[in-house]
Amino acid sequence: MTLDNAGPARKQLSQAVATDLIWAYAEERDAVEHVRVRIGTGEMTVVLFIRSADEKVAQDQAVEIVNRAIRAPALDGWRIR
């Protein structure tokens, strides 16, 4: 998924920190196997590999995880596009 940063003060955020934050907000029940983050100017791409037999369930779970993570102060201003 793609996130935009509409915050008034865009903070420098490393891909490693963003990845760690998403891992921190993923719970065991989320069945996350891998997280990949790319950050550009005002844009972040997040890819989550989630164990699920149902693609729609995995997509919904990915959105839920990212929504939990963007509540962290370090991700202030980031929103799912």
Side-chain angles (χ1 to χ4, degrees):
M1 72 190 69
T2 303
L3 289 78
D4 292 315
N5 189 327
R10 292 186 178 163
K11 300 174 187 173
Q12 279 296 90
L13 181 68
S14 73
Q15 292 174 181
V17 169
T19 301
D20 287 347
L21 282 167
I22 292 170
W23 273 117
Y25 284 88
E27 299 171 359
E28 189 174 335
R29 67 180 173 88
D30 294 326
V32 176
E33 292 185 354
H34 182 76
V35 176
R36 182 174 183 121
V37 174
R38 297 248 179 198
I39 298 177
T41 305
E43 180 177 284
M44 180 187 318
T45 302
V46 177
V47 178
L48 297 166
F49 292 91
I50 297 174
R51 285 186 316 274
S52 177
D54 185 312
E55 183 177 351
K56 176 71 171 127
V57 169
Q59 290 172 345
D60 290 346
Q61 197 65 31
V63 169
E64 184 179 324
I65 294 163
V66 172
N67 275 324
R68 287 191 303 248
I70 61 177
R71 291 185 193 120
L75 293 176
D76 184 45
W78 290 99
R79 299 292 173 256
I80 296 173
R81 185 184 290 171

